Amino acid sequence: MDLIIRAPRMVTPDGERSGAVGIRDGVIADVADELDGPVFIDLADDEVLLPGLVDTHVHVNDPGRAEWEGFATATRAAAAGGVTTIVDMPLNSVPPTVDVPALDIKRATAFGNTYVDVGFWGGAVPGNLPELRPLHTAGVFGFKCFLLHSGVEEFGHLSTGELAAALATLRDLDALMIVHAEDPTLIDHAPAPHGRAYADFLASRPPDAEHRAIATVIDLARRHHARVHILHLSSAGALPMIAAARRDGVAVTVETCPHYLTLTAEEVPDGATQFKCCPPIRGAANQDLLWQGLADGVIDCVVSDHSPCTPDLKRLETGDFGQAWGGIAGLQLGLPAVWTAARKRGVPLTEVVRWMSTAPAALVGLTGKGAIEVGRDADLCVLAPAAELTVDAAKLFHRNAVSAYHGRTLTGVVRRTWLRGREVTGEVPHGKLLER
């Protein structure tokens, strides 16, 4: 063995246990009660060994908007949060990843600058239907589309007819379509976001906009026998229709995000635009139902939707929710945020690992990730589940010091991270670029 890690507690596919993990050539070679070798690490009694998290919803924004975030800063933040694999969204980079030349530019930008492994989503936008098959062949993990304005001009949104045509193409490729599902008509008829009152912003993104859009996606997936995934579910009111669609055999999966599970509309101060995201953070009663959706298995996974920007775009000086960029920067804090809330609700760490590592890896077909199991990559992290940290945005590895978690005390500290058996120290990036 190149390295043996001995742990009083570790989370495996069979549950929590004590034992040792033997690593050879970057792969888990053995998991046993005891292992001995010349190079070993003994974890402390207050530490738990977890598989590295897999975050399939990250906006790195590089190239083109690297001042918002970049591969070096995003992946260093990921590693500090126990995340060992990310899949990068096709926007808000310039160019967006909507054809193979743009994917080549994205990969060239990331090459040699990643502290964790990185894969890429392709984009489905008006006019690029002929590009979907070449992007699929080039190794993207699936395709993202919007059903309403994406927030950036260079990444257009699909009409219902365009989504239907894209799903027909992706069905033949057995490729996954991931969807930002909010209905544009309902959003257009809602009150326009304006001013400092969070309640006014919340009214501008009504739950019914999510429900109607998700119903459309499910209907098209049913008709075209396509695989679809609902991104960043905010409204728990959509859960019954998703569960019913699955019972009917529709291939639909769904994710939610740490901020929807840990933050509530009731606690967002007026003018606090660092909390703005779309769809929005909703009320505490809705949050309880999202947790129930996870417990029931209707929600498959929890991923960050890390969507950072420069501080000026958050309009922090005015606190105007109508003008501020919508997005939560939470890549480094997802595990402690979710664990803090899960612990209070009596949810075991094994479930958090399933939602944040095993299920996202399975979603995108990364069979070598997501579990402490022989034959998988030795992507591991050490969590001290009872230790506390008070978030200081300026000390995070994200490029910009803007965080909805600033000042909050979270339970669960990530102390070490290994990528394929090599510890991530922040000195030398050794992440790989992944293909489907």
Side-chain angles (χ1 to χ4, degrees), residues 247-283:
R247 289 194 295 269
D248 291 344
V250 179
V252 55
T253 51
V254 62
E255 70 186 38
T256 193
C257 304
H259 41 278
Y260 301 131
L261 298 172
T262 62
L263 307 173
T264 63
E266 292 88 345
E267 64 186 317
V268 177
D270 288 348
T273 52
Q274 64 268 34
F275 290 87
K276 179 181 177 180
C277 58
C278 299
I281 294 164
R282 303 192 188 276

Side-chain angles (χ1 to χ4, degrees), residues 106-185:
K106 175 83 79 168
R107 284 177 169 157
T109 304
F111 182 76
N113 292 310
T114 66
Y115 290 91
V116 302
D117 287 354
V118 178
F120 303 96
W121 296 106
V125 298
N128 87 323
L129 192 63
E131 308 295 339
L132 302 185
R133 184 178 293 274
L135 278 166
H136 179 77
T137 301
V140 299
F141 283 85
F143 297 88
K144 179 178 186 177
C145 72
F146 279 75
L147 301 187
L148 78 173
H149 196 286
S150 69
V152 292
E153 295 300 328
E154 66 275 2
F155 197 94
H157 64 282
L158 298 183
S159 67
T160 301
E162 289 167 330
L163 176 59
L167 289 178
T169 296
L170 298 190
R171 173 199 60 212
D172 295 338
L173 300 174
D174 192 29
L176 182 65
M177 177 70 87
I178 63 175
V179 186
H180 181 127
E182 289 181 282
D183 183 82
T185 302

Side-chain angles (χ1 to χ4, degrees), residues 17 25 34 48 62 72 81 90 111 126 135 156 159 207 248 272 313 326 338 347 352 354 366 372 376-377 382-383 409:
R17 57 170 288 186
D25 297 328
E34 295 183 9
V48 185
D62 197 8
F111 182 76
L135 278 166
S159 67
D248 291 344
L313 293 177
V338 173
V347 176
V352 174
R354 181 166 63 85
L366 285 171
I372 297 177
R376 304 235 188 183
D377 290 349
V382 174
L383 179 74
T409 297

Side-chain angles (χ1 to χ4, degrees), residues 232-371:
H232 45 49
L233 183 71
S234 158
S235 174
L239 291 173
M241 80 171 87
I242 294 168
R246 285 184 177 168
R247 289 194 295 269
D248 291 344
V250 179
V252 55
T253 51
V254 62
E255 70 186 38
T256 193
C257 304
H259 41 278
Y260 301 131
L261 298 172
T262 62
L263 307 173
T264 63
E266 292 88 345
E267 64 186 317
V268 177
D270 288 348
T273 52
Q274 64 268 34
F275 290 87
K276 179 181 177 180
C277 58
C278 299
I281 294 164
R282 303 192 188 276
N286 176 79
Q287 184 180 92
D288 289 341
L289 293 174
L290 290 176
W291 279 97
Q292 189 61 51
L294 283 164
D296 294 341
V298 182
I299 300 175
D300 300 274
C301 50
V302 180
V303 291
S304 70
D305 188 12
H306 178 69
S307 185
C309 65
T310 52
D312 60 299
L313 293 177
K314 275 294 186 184
R315 301 294 193 265
L316 298 170
E317 71 288 352
T318 66
D320 190 325
F321 280 96
Q323 296 181 353
W325 173 261
I328 301 288
L331 180 55
Q332 186 172 335
L333 297 172
L335 177 56
V338 173
W339 172 237
T340 299
R343 190 170 181 249
K344 291 177 180 177
R345 292 172 180 268
V347 176
L349 192 54
T350 50
E351 289 294 274
V352 174
V353 167
R354 181 166 63 85
W355 300 330
M356 302 188 76
S357 181
T358 309
L363 175 73
V364 295
L366 285 171
T367 56
K369 309 289 188 182

